[in-house]
Amino acid sequence: MKKHPLEGRIAKIFFDSGLQFRIDFLADNQLRWTSIREEDAGATDVETIHIEEYPGGIFSIDWVEKDGLCVSYTVDTANSYVKSFMTFTDEGYRGGRRPFVHEGPFQLILENGEPDLEPLY
Protein backbone atom coordinates (compact mmCIF):
# COMPACT_ATOMS: atom_id res chain seq x y z
CA MET A 1 0.00 0.00 0.00
CA LYS A 2 1.28 3.47 -0.95
CA LYS A 3 2.08 5.84 1.90
CA HIS A 4 1.24 8.93 -0.22
CA PRO A 5 -0.09 9.61 -3.76
CA LEU A 6 3.34 10.65 -5.13
CA GLU A 7 4.94 7.30 -4.28
CA GLY A 8 5.99 5.56 -7.49
CA ARG A 9 5.76 8.77 -9.51
CA ILE A 10 8.51 10.80 -11.21
CA ALA A 11 8.75 14.58 -11.52
CA LYS A 12 10.91 17.12 -13.34
CA ILE A 13 11.66 20.45 -11.69
CA PHE A 14 13.18 23.52 -13.36
CA PHE A 15 13.96 26.10 -10.67
CA ASP A 16 14.36 29.79 -11.45
CA SER A 17 17.84 29.55 -9.89
CA GLY A 18 18.95 27.35 -12.79
CA LEU A 19 18.92 24.10 -10.78
CA GLN A 20 17.08 21.25 -12.53
CA PHE A 21 16.12 17.88 -11.10
CA ARG A 22 14.45 14.60 -11.81
CA ILE A 23 12.72 13.45 -8.62
CA ASP A 24 11.77 9.79 -8.13
CA PHE A 25 9.33 9.21 -5.27
CA LEU A 26 10.29 5.77 -3.95
CA ALA A 27 8.69 3.41 -1.44
CA ASP A 28 9.20 3.79 2.32
CA ASN A 29 9.38 7.59 2.28
CA GLN A 30 12.46 7.68 0.08
CA LEU A 31 13.17 10.20 -2.67
CA ARG A 32 15.91 10.06 -5.31
CA TRP A 33 16.98 13.42 -6.72
CA THR A 34 19.12 13.53 -9.83
CA SER A 35 20.46 16.75 -11.31
CA ILE A 36 19.60 16.99 -15.01
CA ARG A 37 21.95 19.92 -15.67
CA GLU A 38 24.95 19.01 -17.82
CA GLU A 39 27.40 20.75 -15.50
CA ASP A 40 26.35 18.52 -12.55
CA ALA A 41 27.23 15.28 -14.41
CA GLY A 42 24.19 13.41 -13.08
CA ALA A 43 24.76 14.10 -9.37
CA THR A 44 22.23 12.02 -7.45
CA ASP A 45 21.36 10.71 -4.01
CA VAL A 46 18.53 9.02 -2.13
CA GLU A 47 17.01 10.84 0.83
CA THR A 48 14.58 9.87 3.57
CA ILE A 49 11.73 12.35 3.38
CA HIS A 50 8.96 13.59 5.62
CA ILE A 51 5.88 14.23 3.49
CA GLU A 52 2.55 15.78 4.40
CA GLU A 53 -0.44 16.09 2.11
CA TYR A 54 -2.86 19.01 2.33
CA PRO A 55 -6.20 19.64 0.57
CA GLY A 56 -6.07 20.65 -3.08
CA GLY A 57 -3.06 18.53 -4.05
CA ILE A 58 -0.54 20.46 -1.94
CA PHE A 59 2.41 18.55 -0.48
CA SER A 60 5.14 19.54 1.95
CA ILE A 61 8.26 17.44 1.36
CA ASP A 62 11.27 17.86 3.66
CA TRP A 63 14.65 16.19 4.14
CA VAL A 64 18.17 16.69 5.49
CA GLU A 65 21.08 15.62 3.28
CA LYS A 66 24.34 13.98 4.45
CA ASP A 67 26.23 17.29 4.21
CA GLY A 68 23.62 19.06 6.38
CA LEU A 69 21.72 20.75 3.54
CA CYS A 70 18.11 21.11 4.70
CA VAL A 71 15.52 21.06 1.91
CA SER A 72 11.83 21.89 2.07
CA TYR A 73 9.56 21.74 -0.98
CA THR A 74 6.00 22.98 -1.12
CA VAL A 75 4.49 21.32 -4.18
CA ASP A 76 1.20 22.43 -5.72
CA THR A 77 0.34 19.51 -8.01
CA ALA A 78 -2.90 21.13 -9.23
CA ASN A 79 -0.91 24.07 -10.64
CA SER A 80 2.29 22.13 -11.44
CA TYR A 81 4.48 24.40 -9.29
CA VAL A 82 7.03 24.03 -6.50
CA LYS A 83 8.66 26.44 -4.05
CA SER A 84 11.79 25.42 -2.19
CA PHE A 85 13.42 26.75 0.96
CA MET A 86 16.87 25.38 1.71
CA THR A 87 19.51 26.16 4.32
CA PHE A 88 23.18 25.22 4.41
CA THR A 89 26.14 25.86 6.67
CA ASP A 90 27.64 29.35 6.34
CA GLU A 91 29.21 30.92 9.43
CA GLY A 92 28.65 34.42 8.03
CA TYR A 93 24.88 34.15 8.48
CA ARG A 94 22.55 34.15 11.46
CA GLY A 95 22.73 30.83 13.25
CA GLY A 96 25.50 29.71 10.90
CA ARG A 97 22.95 28.82 8.21
CA ARG A 98 22.45 30.53 4.85
CA PRO A 99 18.94 30.42 3.37
CA PHE A 100 18.28 29.82 -0.32
CA VAL A 101 14.84 30.16 -1.92
CA HIS A 102 13.84 29.20 -5.45
CA GLU A 103 10.73 28.09 -7.33
CA GLY A 104 9.56 26.81 -10.66
CA PRO A 105 7.51 24.32 -12.64
CA PHE A 106 6.88 20.84 -11.23
CA GLN A 107 5.86 18.32 -13.88
CA LEU A 108 4.94 14.69 -13.30
CA ILE A 109 6.51 12.57 -16.03
CA LEU A 110 6.68 8.96 -17.15
CA GLU A 111 9.94 7.00 -17.27
CA ASN A 112 10.32 7.94 -20.96
CA GLY A 113 10.08 11.67 -20.11
CA GLU A 114 6.59 12.16 -21.52
CA PRO A 115 4.03 13.96 -19.30
CA ASP A 116 2.31 11.73 -16.74
CA LEU A 117 -1.35 12.64 -17.08
CA GLU A 118 -2.71 10.04 -14.65
CA PRO A 119 -4.54 11.76 -11.77
CA LEU A 120 -3.03 11.48 -8.29
CA TYR A 121 -6.35 10.32 -6.85
Side-chain angles (χ1 to χ4, degrees):
M1 180 175 182
K2 287 185 174 185
K3 293 187 179 182
H4 57 82
L6 291 172
E7 186 175 306
R9 306 296 281 270
I10 303 167
K12 261 194 317 192
I13 298 172
F14 294 93
F15 285 115
D16 58 0
S17 64
L19 296 175
Q20 302 173 8
F21 296 99
R22 172 186 160 138
I23 303 293
D24 293 84
F25 293 96
L26 309 172
D28 300 320
N29 287 330
Q30 300 287 299
L31 172 149
R32 179 185 311 108
W33 59 263
T34 304
S35 177
I36 53 178
R37 297 187 319 165
E38 270 186 44
E39 59 266 38
D40 293 333
T44 187
D45 209 347
V46 174
E47 311 294 347
T48 299
I49 60 173
H50 176 78
I51 185 166
E52 291 289 333
E53 181 180 3
Y54 300 97
I58 306 290
F59 292 86
S60 175
I61 305 165
D62 309 288
W63 69 90
V64 179
E65 297 185 2
K66 285 184 275 195
D67 63 1
L69 178 72
C70 296
V71 181
S72 182
Y73 285 178
T74 302
V75 177
D76 179 349
T77 59
N79 293 297
S80 303
Y81 208 73
V82 60
K83 290 189 174 200
S84 175
F85 177 82
M86 301 168 21
T87 68
F88 53 92
T89 303
D90 186 331
E91 296 305 321
Y93 280 78
R94 183 178 183 171
R97 306 286 300 173
R98 178 191 293 251
F100 181 67
V101 179
H102 53 180
E103 58 190 285
F106 175 94
Q107 179 185 23
L108 290 172
I109 61 169
L110 300 171
E111 186 64 44
N112 65 7
E114 294 293 316
D116 181 350
L117 303 176
E118 185 173 326
L120 287 178
Y121 310 96

